[in-house]
Amino acid sequence: MGYEELCEAQEQCPQTTREENVPTVQDTEITLLKSGEVTLVVPLSIEDISQFGDGSRELFVKSSCYSVINIAVVDCGPTVSWVFSSEPKSISFSVVYRETTDVPVEQSKVLIPLTRCNSHKETIQGQLKVRNPGLYTLIFDNSFSRFISKKVLYHLTIEKTIIYDGSDF
């Protein structure tokens, strides 16, 4: 199952109701965002990504920490694509979504679960179709590594959906 299908499947799954006296299990990604130590936060907009150019950018992730790229999206429809690699070893990757920055981190939706990637051996690629405006957070997690900091080389692209309105007739 690809990233896009995974995201679509997760959006289509109904939320299960829980009794109030049953403790809820918090997603690893949410726990990380709440209590982990962040190295770097990179805020981007769709316009920033559309002017990204051809080169890769560097993201530093200290040992026992994580770094994020926050992408603010105001319209539905575009597809955000990423390519990344890490050195000297692997990194974990996840994508979470919040409607606004006012929404508590606990209410974030995990679109792509935290996954350890062998991005030091192969380039990792993925994409996400934006279904709702809001804040999409790409998480690069190195909290499992006690001593080794990582460098992530990443490139983002945006593909806007063109809707034909018949206005040239």
Side-chain angles (χ1 to χ4, degrees), residues 18-31:
R18 299 181 176 121
E19 293 179 29
E20 288 186 33
N21 59 355
V22 176
T24 58
V25 176
Q26 200 164 59
D27 292 313
T28 308
E29 300 80 3
I30 308 306
T31 303

Side-chain angles (χ1 to χ4, degrees), residues 71 93 100:
I71 303 171
F93 177 76
T100 67

